[in-house]
Amino acid sequence: MTSLTDLPIWDTLKAHQARMANEHMRDMFAQDAKRFERFSLEAAGLLLDYSKNRINTDTINTLCELALECQLPEKIAALLAGKPINITEKRAALHTALRRNPGDQVFYGGIDVMPQVQAELNKMEEMSDKIRAGLWYGYAGQPITDIVNIGIGGSDLGPLMASQALTPYSNKNLRFHFVSNVDGTSIKHTLDQVLPETTLFIISSKSFQTIETLTNANTAKRWFLQYASDTSRHFMAVTAHPERAQAFGIEEDSILRIWDWVGGRFSIWSAIGFPLVCSIGMHRFKEFLAGARAMDAHFASAPLTQNMPVLLGLIGVWYVNFFDSQTQAILPYNEYLKFFPRYLKQLDMESNGKTRDIEGGAVDYATGPIVWGEIGCNGQHAFHQLLHQGSHLTPADFIIPCQSQNPIHNHHAILFANCLSQSQALMLGKTEEEAYIELRDAGMNEFDARTLAKHKVIPGDKPSNTILFDKLTPERLGALLALYEHKAFVQGVIWGINSFDQMSVEFGKGLSQANLEALEEENHLLPPRDSSTRGLFAHYRGLLDQSTVEQQAPEDG
Ligand code: F6P
């Protein structure tokens, strides 16, 4: 495989960047009154304004040439057709099958997967309808009121984020809790809020082997068994390993299936989304699926230069590889999307935080950026100073619905004005002369205005995308998530990496198991390890022993 940086088009892009680096976006806008029309597009109910980027038509065309060199159209077709593109795990990445039309056929390993997809949807509908109607009775004959999802990573972030995002559509008789971390505070805080007789625990784990999830699940079960012996109406599982769930004590009827061809970070569309289905109902969940399906159809058919996920992905490559940007900010101006940055962190960084290419070679170029973010306007009062006047080039995605789910006075107008103003300010910046004039107009004397103006210079030329849609509905959320899923895929194709495995996470899990065994050994023998780990163990031990001794010390007096 020819290295990406050896492709002639790569040198073309480097030369193009050298030219673009000297052009300021404020001049591009001044020279082209139609820039917005030229660099924006609509798809699946979303509007993407990518005009506030350091690009021109030549940039987009050249990036699309790079995409063709990387066989992006062929790779998109392979993804959607269920080819085993997850080469290290020899699997497909068929999360798009979960949102295909029921009548479609999608073959994987010679089998049409759609009947099993439909069967699980039907089972989810039947179970969730009972729960939502108050007809799922616990051991004391009372309806379920609290649903506790126990899962981590993609088995937590998807249902957590989407349930929060679609709060306006949630069943008001049900309360949802998400336990993910193994820190005892998480499960204890939740158990303090619920009653055993009215609580349903959903143990969500594709592998049903994740230590954090199993530890929390066992603690929940021990807690429940203090009150009742029949767990059948209070524990269910979502997993690709039903035999492990049954070994835990969950009945077959209470197990929802997912499959190995759905990656954890792409699993919200599957039974991992069951808490969301309980919250918004199957009808709305199918609208959610339909939104993603619309984005899939756009992704599959639109020309590269008019393809929303492709443009987002390529523009991201433009900054990572030709402007050396290290991070990507996600700034949703919407309270209900407060977990969206957290969700995207896993989706993007667990997909593209890699430096081995699909042939196992070391890459010699940058790959996945650090994805972070916060809702607006809050970010403005926390880190936008750095975005505007810091030393880093930090591309930002602004995301905002045009209508609020909670229209009160002019709140949404203020929110919307701030969102637009931030991307505008990032692009425009402020010259020293503009700052000086501003200060003089405000009545400051010549000397002070000249002095202070130097500190108010803002470089501008800071790139951003803005994604608008009418309202944060299930359909629009589905399209938005699919957009970012496909963006991550596009970037993985360009970087020649496998976006669907997560090798290094397994490494960390293995080390933590060995360290846990050492920590729990009574003989305090520290296994041979680096001096840092040994030193930290010893300190932890010392404090532990000290606290144990203190606990055993006789009461004073
Ligand atoms: O972080 C590694 C990972 O495997 C994620 O990809 C996954 O979403 C998470 O752990 C939880 O895995 P499981 O659903 O098997 O418990």
Side-chain angles (χ1 to χ4, degrees):
M1 185 171 87
T2 309
S3 170
L4 187 60
T5 52
D6 293 336
L7 295 172
I9 193 74
W10 197 262
D11 289 337
T12 307
L13 282 163
K14 282 167 75 172
H16 183 68
Q17 189 278 341
R19 291 193 298 278
M20 293 304 292
N22 299 321
E23 293 198 33
H24 198 293
M25 279 194 275
R26 60 164 55 198
D27 300 327
M28 296 184 211
F29 275 97
Q31 292 151 16
D32 178 2
K34 292 278 185 191
R35 187 170 171 85
F36 168 77
E37 287 75 8
R38 201 181 310 282
F39 298 114
S40 62
L41 83 150
E42 295 189 68
L46 309 182
L47 167 74
L48 169 65
D49 171 13
Y50 60 103
S51 61
K52 297 194 186 90
N53 277 296
R54 302 184 63 174
I55 58 164
N56 59 27
T57 303
D58 193 14
T59 320
I60 295 300
N61 290 337
T62 313
L63 285 168
C64 286
E65 278 180 50
L66 171 65
L68 290 172
E69 295 258 349
C70 298
Q71 289 87 42
L72 181 60
E74 295 83 349
K75 299 286 176 66
I76 292 172
L79 168 77
L80 300 175
K83 303 295 183 199
I85 57 172
N86 176 356
I87 50 157
T88 51
E89 296 176 324
K90 297 183 173 53
R91 293 172 183 166
L94 256 181
H95 42 285
T96 52
L98 299 166
R99 58 226 192 187
R100 291 284 290 267
N101 279 315
D104 287 5
Q105 288 189 312
V106 181
F107 288 92
Y108 175 56
I111 296 169
D112 177 8
V113 301
M114 293 306 288
Q116 54 190 307
V117 169
Q118 197 53 50
E120 288 312 298
L121 279 172
N122 294 340
K123 191 172 178 181
M124 288 162 79
E125 182 166 18
E126 186 186 339
M127 293 170 77
S128 60
D129 281 355
K130 279 187 185 151
I131 293 167
R132 290 166 52 80
L135 300 175
W136 183 295
Y137 300 109
Y139 69 86
Q142 294 179 45
I144 294 299
T145 59
D146 288 81
I147 292 177
V148 179
N149 186 73
I150 298 178
I152 196 164
S155 299
D156 163 67
L157 291 167
L160 170 69
M161 178 276 302
S163 302
Q164 173 67 24
L166 298 177
T167 299
Y169 303 89
S170 69
N171 182 308
K172 300 300 183 263
N173 301 322
L174 295 172
R175 293 190 309 161
F176 293 86
H177 314 264
F178 292 87
V179 174
S180 50
N181 200 353
V182 75
D183 179 338
T185 301
S186 180
I187 186 72
K188 181 182 185 311
H189 175 73
T190 298
L191 296 179
D192 287 348
Q193 297 179 60
V194 299
L195 297 172
E197 57 267 32
T198 54
T199 298
L200 172 64
F201 293 95
I202 303 173
I203 303 169
S204 297
S205 178
K206 179 178 172 184
S207 63
F208 221 87
Q209 281 186 325
T210 305
I211 186 170
E212 297 93 337
T213 300
L214 295 184
T215 305
N216 281 319
N218 279 306
T219 297
K221 189 175 176 183
R222 274 196 299 275
W223 170 83
F224 182 85
L225 291 174
Q226 295 172 103
Y227 302 94
S229 56
D230 178 8
T231 60
S232 63
R233 310 294 290 159
H234 297 274
F235 281 82
M236 63 174 288
V238 180
T239 184
H241 293 272
E243 73 286 355
R244 294 173 187 163
Q246 285 176 294
F248 178 84
I250 295 175
E251 297 177 0
E252 171 65 24
D253 285 350
S254 298
I255 298 173
L256 290 170
R257 288 296 311 275
I258 57 179
W259 303 276
D260 68 5
W261 39 264
V262 179
R265 53 191 174 275
F266 300 91
S267 62
I268 180 62
W269 321 100
S270 73
I272 289 290
F274 187 62
L276 177 63
V277 179
C278 291
S279 174
I280 67 174
M282 183 51 80
H283 177 69
R284 294 286 190 188
F285 187 74
K286 287 183 175 174
E287 290 173 355
F288 173 63
L289 297 179
R293 183 165 59 243
M295 184 55 74
D296 293 345
H298 166 74
F299 184 49
S301 59
L304 298 184
T305 56
Q306 292 301 313
N307 193 307
M308 198 177 281
V310 170
L311 289 170
L312 264 192
L314 292 177
I315 290 169
V317 166
W318 180 232
Y319 295 124
V320 165
N321 297 102
F322 297 93
F323 284 84
D324 297 326
S325 68
Q326 316 276 322
T327 81
Q328 169 71 51
I330 303 294
L331 308 174
Y333 273 62
N334 185 282
E335 197 69 21
Y336 287 132
L337 286 176
K338 66 183 176 185
F339 295 128
F340 187 63
R342 189 188 297 187
Y343 172 82
L344 277 195
K345 285 180 199 173
Q346 184 200 13
L347 174 61
D348 201 291
M349 292 198 276
E350 196 166 74
S351 294
N352 292 337
K354 292 156 189 173
T355 48
R356 311 300 292 192
D357 65 29
I358 49 177
E359 292 184 343
V363 300
D364 59 357
Y365 43 82
T367 55
I370 297 165
V371 174
W372 62 284
E374 179 59 79
I375 54 173
C377 296
N378 298 55
Q380 295 172 210
H381 304 273
F383 51 78
H384 281 219
Q385 165 62 37
L386 178 139
L387 295 183
H388 289 286
Q389 214 179 30
S391 59
H392 300 280
L393 181 81
T394 307
D397 285 358
F398 290 88
I399 300 165
I400 186 166
C402 295
Q403 303 163 47
S404 169
Q405 290 278 9
N406 299 294
I408 299 179
H409 304 308
N410 64 339
H411 285 246
H412 197 68
I414 295 170
L415 183 73
F416 200 86
N418 271 277
C419 183
L420 295 195
S421 308
Q422 287 299 309
S423 69
Q424 187 183 27
L426 284 169
M427 178 272 289
L428 281 173
K430 185 183 292 183
T431 64
E432 186 173 337
E433 191 56 25
E434 287 165 342
Y436 164 70
I437 292 166
E438 223 173 67
L439 292 167
R440 291 285 284 151
D441 290 351
M444 189 171 282
N445 67 57
E446 166 80 16
F447 176 78
D448 289 350
R450 283 289 175 207
T451 306
L452 190 57
K454 296 180 187 306
H455 299 274
K456 284 177 164 284
V457 174
I458 299 171
D461 220 11
K462 305 274 187 167
S464 68
N465 297 303
T466 299
I467 296 170
L468 293 191
F469 43 91
D470 45 6
K471 202 169 186 178
L472 188 55
T473 61
E475 190 176 358
R476 298 293 180 252
L477 182 67
L480 187 68
L481 301 193
L483 168 63
Y484 278 96
E485 283 180 345
H486 296 324
K487 172 202 173 180
F489 173 70
V490 167
Q491 294 189 326
V493 167
I494 301 299
W495 290 324
I497 57 182
N498 175 7
S499 298
F500 299 107
D501 64 9
Q502 48 283 324
M503 295 294 179
S504 57
V505 181
E506 312 313 327
F507 173 55
K509 284 180 182 177
L511 282 181
S512 67
Q513 186 55 38
N515 284 330
L516 174 63
E517 285 157 14
L519 273 178
E520 292 185 325
E521 275 163 16
E522 284 314 308
N523 61 15
H524 290 198
L525 278 183
L526 294 178
R529 276 178 173 73
D530 55 273
S531 64
S532 166
T533 306
R534 275 205 310 278
L536 294 170
F537 266 37
H539 191 71
Y540 173 81
R541 270 266 184 265
L543 290 176
L544 202 64
D545 293 349
Q546 186 184 337
S547 67
T548 311
V549 167
E550 279 164 7
Q551 276 167 12
Q552 288 162 0
E555 290 300 311
D556 294 341

